[in-house]
Amino acid sequence: MTANLPYRHTDDLFIDGDWTPATGTGRTLVTNPATEEVWGSVPQASAADLDRAVAAARHAFSGWRALTPTDRAGFLLRLADEVEKRAEAISHTNTWENGSPVAESSRAAGNAASIFRYFASLAGLLETPDVRPFPDGSGETVVRQDPIGVCALIAPWNFPINLVVAKLAPALMAGCTVVIKPASPTPLSVRLIVDAAVAAGIPPGVINLVTGPGSFGDALVKHPGIDKVAFTGSTPVGRTIAGACGTLLRPVTLELGGKSSALVLPDVDLDALSKVLIRTCMRNTGQTCYISTRILAPAERYDELVDMVTATIAAAKQGDPMQPDTVFGPAATRAQEQTVREYLRSGVAEGARATTGGDVPSDFDQGFFVKPTVFADVTPDMRIAREEIFGPVLSILRYSSIDEGVALANNTSFGLGGTIFSADPDRAFALASRLDTGSVGLGFFASNHAAPFAGRHDSGLGAEFGPEGLKAYLVPQSVHRRIR
Ligand code: NDP
């Protein structure tokens, strides 16, 4: 299949409405993880480039915030249409950057458009007056919501479009302007979102795109012209950013790692579970923050469940991510492949049993492929049961009572996702409140743009999506007045 890749080797950054040459000297190479071909590159921005991008965003802020929410919503709706027009290029660039199977990346543009449209639909929320009487009746307060200002948006490589758009859409709707820094392995696909914004007529300076390594992200976080940071990525980097923002008293939203569980009840319908297993527990070759990578199985159905999970994973096709029927692609980077293999070795060393896969050579003579792996006989103390792996690895643990299953699900420093599988929907719903996690799926998992996505504990601070996600880009102002 011929790939639709509008960008390969680029020398520019998007600042103040133009693609403008970077003045930094370094370059970041973009590698196709399925073939190991270096097929693209981007410049590493200099400190002066960063200053220019932040200044452009600052300059554009007064005009953008002065528009009515309905006017800004109009821009978001046009942007959504323009993103959809670029769906194939977005999908192919994404797949060449991080190896996401095209069945997954082909959803990116539609999902991004849907996020823009959802936040556009919240214009009315910003336009509805919020007036609160003084308790003694002597006056009233009008609570206004101001956009927070210039926002730094920093994204990881696993969903390079949607994890930018999850920040960009509410920021734009709120009246903020932005400087975006994509992850180094995936710097090209997001350029297509910028192109869509230009075609939608978004004014110069409202959106700026700069590329550079993690140290450049650090400089962006600490730049004096930034009013808020929105970050998705690993927990260690999130802690560093939280520390910097704490010192600066700079608002920050952090969407971090996870180690979520699928709590399988004894009455489970295994056929139904097998149909959603990969999407729920190994989506995007296991490189999804909220997936339920620990399966908690009732002792009386343990063997049956291990057999079903093993057969389902072993039967799913791994290979060229550009083929529409590919389920599992490669790891996104060589470093990620090595990390996952290290976990596979640790699982075996600690006594887990690989029922399929393991640290074996892949079926391919090139690419960062790791065989999708299922570990049975996993115990809660093992590293594979406690730490985020971020690869195609499932651990199956055993429990004897519901209380023990709930305790196992909560036995983690993270609190991002989780799922419950039961034939009894009321029982599953009641059990959700016992899981100490920001989101729970009953019989499946999918995030909903209209509802908050919020990690607890080591999984983050604050929320994205829903009105809560919009509020993260607003600051209130209370205007008190006497009632005559
Ligand atoms: P990283 O934390 O390594 O990087 C994320 C982004 O931060 C990248 O753009 C990176 O740049 C940048 N960065 C690195 N160091 C710094 C720094 N000191 N200051 C500012 N920015 C910095 O994460 P990964 O890209 O490896 O992504 C995987 C992680 O993301 C997993 O832990 C996963 O769980 C998490 N994630 C969380 C989600 C959620 O919503 N909760 C969703 C998806 C992923 P560069 O690439 O140039 O190093």
Side-chain angles (χ1 to χ4, degrees):
M1 178 197 279
T2 313
N4 179 354
L5 305 168
Y7 291 111
R8 286 176 177 255
H9 295 280
T10 64
D11 294 316
D12 46 18
L13 310 167
F14 190 75
I15 298 177
D16 206 13
D18 277 319
W19 292 106
T20 153
T23 63
T25 49
R27 294 196 67 76
T28 299
L29 304 179
V30 182
T31 304
N32 182 332
T35 61
E36 302 181 39
E37 176 197 356
V38 176
W39 63 277
S41 60
V42 294
Q44 297 185 350
S46 66
D49 294 330
L50 177 57
D51 287 344
R52 280 197 299 134
V54 175
R58 172 70 48 205
H59 183 71
F61 179 51
S62 54
W64 184 246
R65 70 173 292 180
L67 296 178
T68 65
T70 297
D71 285 343
R72 288 196 297 271
F75 281 104
L76 263 68
L77 294 175
R78 285 194 288 283
L79 178 47
D81 293 344
E82 292 295 334
V83 167
E84 278 177 334
K85 288 181 195 166
R86 292 160 176 78
E88 185 184 74
I90 287 173
S91 165
H92 290 186
T93 307
N94 179 343
T95 290
W96 274 51
E97 285 176 328
N98 72 359
S100 284
V102 79
E104 176 71 59
S105 66
S106 60
R107 301 168 192 248
N111 194 32
S114 157
I115 296 171
F116 283 123
R117 290 186 184 119
Y118 168 71
F119 280 104
S121 79
L122 298 187
L125 207 67
L126 295 174
E127 286 167 345
T128 308
D130 179 359
V131 182
R132 307 182 198 182
F134 276 52
D136 66 2
S138 64
E140 66 182 14
T141 302
V142 180
V143 182
R144 302 182 45 264
Q145 298 290 342
D146 286 324
I148 212 162
V150 177
C151 301
L153 312 185
I154 303 179
W157 45 256
N158 57 332
F159 290 96
I161 296 298
N162 291 326
L163 295 175
V164 169
V165 172
K167 299 161 184 55
L168 179 61
L172 294 182
M173 192 59 232
C176 296
T177 57
V178 306
V179 178
I180 302 169
K181 190 205 101 62
S184 289
T186 53
L188 290 168
S189 49
V190 68
R191 291 170 70 102
L192 294 153
I193 299 294
V194 171
D195 286 346
V198 172
I202 300 226
V206 171
I207 299 175
N208 302 275
L209 174 68
V210 289
T211 44
S215 55
F216 181 78
D218 182 59
L220 172 59
V221 165
K222 294 174 181 162
H223 194 286
I226 294 295
D227 298 306
K228 181 214 160 79
V229 177
F231 170 81
T232 297
S234 64
T235 298
V237 173
R239 277 189 211 287
T240 305
I241 291 176
C245 289
T247 302
L248 292 163
L249 291 181
R250 187 165 288 174
V252 61
T253 307
L254 301 171
E255 296 288 354
L256 308 178
K259 189 74 183 176
S260 304
S261 294
L263 180 54
V264 180
L265 300 199
D267 64 358
V268 65
D269 172 348
L270 285 183
D271 279 347
L273 173 51
S274 73
K275 293 189 176 73
V276 297
L277 179 78
I278 293 175
R279 186 125 188 104
T280 306
C281 301
M282 265 206 199
R283 181 179 175 193
N284 200 26
T285 318
Q287 299 169 134
T288 306
C289 52
Y290 61 68
I291 49 176
S292 298
T293 55
R294 300 190 301 178
I295 298 181
L296 311 180
E300 62 268 40
R301 300 199 62 187
Y302 189 84
D303 292 340
E304 224 185 313
L305 192 68
V306 169
D307 289 349
M308 181 279 283
V309 172
T310 304
T312 306
I313 299 300
K317 180 183 161 189
Q318 183 174 40
D320 176 1
M322 289 296 283
Q323 294 299 323
D325 61 342
T326 293
V327 177
F328 293 115
T333 62
R334 171 71 77 198
Q336 194 60 26
E337 179 200 345
Q338 285 166 352
T339 300
V340 176
R341 288 191 180 280
E342 211 277 303
Y343 276 110
L344 295 177
R345 289 191 289 274
S346 96
V348 172
E350 292 189 296
R353 173 169 56 95
T355 59
T356 184
D359 182 25
V360 293
S362 83
D363 295 335
F364 311 97
D365 51 17
Q366 59 185 10
F368 310 140
F369 289 92
V370 179
K371 277 212 164 192
T373 298
V374 177
F375 277 122
D377 302 339
V378 176
T379 53
D381 50 311
M382 293 180 187
R383 282 182 62 208
I384 56 168
R386 288 183 288 114
E387 298 175 16
E388 181 180 51
I389 300 173
F390 228 55
V393 185
L394 288 182
S395 296
I396 310 184
L397 291 83
R398 185 190 307 259
Y399 72 83
S400 303
S401 67
I402 294 297
D403 286 348
E404 189 191 357
V406 169
L408 279 175
N410 291 334
N411 180 20
T412 168
S413 60
F414 296 104
L416 193 57
T419 41
I420 299 172
F421 289 91
S422 168
D424 179 345
D426 295 336
R427 189 179 181 205
F429 182 79
L431 213 45
S433 67
R434 296 181 63 191
L435 299 189
D436 185 13
T437 179
S439 303
V440 181
L442 307 182
F444 80 120
F445 195 99
S447 76
N448 171 1
H449 313 330
F453 183 75
R456 299 182 183 177
H457 312 297
D458 287 359
S459 292
L461 283 178
E464 287 190 330
F465 294 125
E468 296 84 355
L470 179 63
K471 213 171 157 201
Y473 294 87
L474 295 165
V475 275
Q477 183 189 52
S478 294
V479 181
H480 312 293
R481 62 185 177 197
R482 292 264 175 240
I483 299 176
R484 295 177 199 285

